[in-house]
Amino acid sequence: MQSGTAITPSLDNLDDMALVERAKRQDGAALRLIMERHNRQLYRIVRSVLGDDAEAEDAVQEAYLRAFTHLDSFRGEARLATWLTRIALNEALGRLRNRRPSVELKKIDTIDDQGEARVIFLPTARQEGDPEAAAARAEIRRLIERAIDQLPDSFRIVFVLRDIEEMSIEATACQLGLRPETVKTRLHRARRLLRQSLDKTLSTALTDAFPFAGARCARITQVVLERLVEPTPCSVS
C-alpha cells in the first residue's frame, strides 16, 4: 500500500473544485497538496499580522483546520487561495484583537510622508539564522524583516500583501475590507517608512523576506493532517 504522500500528476492537475471534492472525502494526498500549495503565502500573510514566527505557524494550522472542517462552504465563487487567505486573516486578526487593544486606524492613517510618527516596535518578532554562517544577502534580508516588523500594523499587512505576496490592489482591498484608495495610501506610507528605516534601497531582496523553509512547510502540513484524524466530540446544535 502506498503512503499517499506522493503527489500524482493527475492530482496535481486538478482544478480547485475537483481538489476540494477529494479533500472533502479526507483524501490525504489532496489535503497535503492544498497545504503545500498555499503554506508559504498563508504563513507570510499571517506573520505580517502577528509578527511572531511560532504564533504564525499555530494560526496557519488553526486556519487550515477551520477550512478543512467547513469545505462544504467553498462554492468556487472565489479561488481556493482567496478563500483560504480570508480564513487565515480572520484567524490572525482575531488573535491580534485578543492580544492588545485595537489600533486607532484613523490615527495611523494620518502619518505624514515625513514619517513624524513613531514606528511601532513589535518585541515578539524573532530573528532566525546563524550570524556566523550568514552571507551578505541573508543579512540584508534580516534588515528588511526587522524593518517590516516595525511598521504600524495596518501598514505592515498591506505591504506584505502587495509587495511580498504581489497581490493586486483590488485583491488586497477585498481581503482587508478597505477601499483601493486606502490600500494605495497605506502602501505608499509603508514604503516611505521602510526607506527611512533602512536608509537605502533594498528592493532586490524583498522576494527573499520571511523565507518559508521546507521544514516549516512540512511541520505545518503534518500537524494539520494528524489533527484532522483525531476524534472530536460531537457538538450539540
Side-chain angles (χ1 to χ4, degrees):
M1 181 177 176
Q2 294 181 344
S3 64
T5 58
I7 303 302
T8 64
S10 59
L11 182 61
D12 198 37
N13 291 331
L14 292 178
D15 62 19
D16 284 351
M17 286 305 301
L19 197 57
V20 167
E21 285 303 317
R22 295 190 62 149
K24 287 179 182 178
R25 300 193 294 270
Q26 296 296 299
D27 184 315
L31 291 167
R32 185 179 296 275
L33 179 57
I34 289 173
M35 288 186 281
E36 289 176 347
R37 282 181 177 176
H38 301 98
N39 270 343
R40 176 171 168 168
Q41 176 174 314
L42 296 188
Y43 171 79
R44 280 177 161 180
I45 291 171
V46 167
R47 193 194 179 286
S48 76
V49 177
L50 299 173
D52 180 77
D53 297 345
E55 189 175 8
E57 278 195 41
D58 187 62
V60 171
Q61 292 169 12
E62 291 299 327
Y64 276 131
L65 290 169
R66 188 183 303 274
F68 291 154
T69 54
H70 294 86
L71 284 173
D72 287 337
S73 65
F74 178 72
R75 305 299 182 187
E77 290 92 349
R79 293 172 57 245
L80 182 58
T82 302
W83 186 70
L84 290 172
T85 297
R86 187 172 300 117
I87 293 172
L89 263 177
N90 287 338
E91 173 69 25
L93 292 171
R95 289 170 179 244
L96 191 65
R97 285 192 295 269
N98 291 333
R99 183 195 296 172
R100 60 174 179 268
S102 58
V103 179
E104 296 182 34
L105 297 182
K106 182 179 294 187
K107 183 176 181 180
I108 286 180
D109 280 336
T110 61
I111 294 178
D112 62 28
D113 289 340
Q114 300 305 313
E116 292 178 358
R118 291 174 180 264
V119 174
I120 298 174
F121 176 69
L122 302 179
T124 57
R126 302 183 318 190
Q127 301 300 319
E128 295 180 339
D130 181 0
E132 294 181 356
R137 187 172 177 83
E139 179 61 26
I140 290 173
R141 187 179 66 240
R142 282 194 291 272
L143 290 174
I144 292 174
E145 291 174 352
R146 191 177 302 116
I148 293 172
D149 278 343
Q150 291 173 341
L151 288 173
D153 293 348
S154 62
F155 291 2
R156 185 176 65 253
I157 297 170
V158 168
F159 179 83
V160 170
L161 292 180
R162 287 285 291 121
D163 277 1
I164 295 182
E165 287 306 315
E166 299 182 333
M167 286 190 182
S168 67
I169 291 174
E170 292 73 19
T172 302
C174 181
Q175 288 289 355
L176 300 178
L178 301 172
R179 293 181 299 118
E181 294 77 12
T182 303
V183 170
K184 293 178 183 178
T185 299
R186 292 186 185 179
L187 179 62
H188 172 70
R189 289 169 177 161
R191 288 170 174 170
R192 292 285 299 225
L193 287 176
L194 281 173
R195 282 197 297 269
Q196 292 163 2
S197 177
L198 296 170
D199 197 31
K200 57 185 174 179
T201 301
L202 297 174
S203 58
T204 55
L206 283 177
T207 55
D208 287 337
F210 306 124
F212 196 86
R216 177 174 285 130
C217 178
R219 182 166 58 247
I220 288 178
T221 300
Q222 190 59 38
V223 168
V224 172
L225 288 173
E226 290 174 356
R227 292 181 64 182
L228 280 172
V229 300
E230 291 179 357
T232 55
C234 297
S235 59
V236 180
S237 301

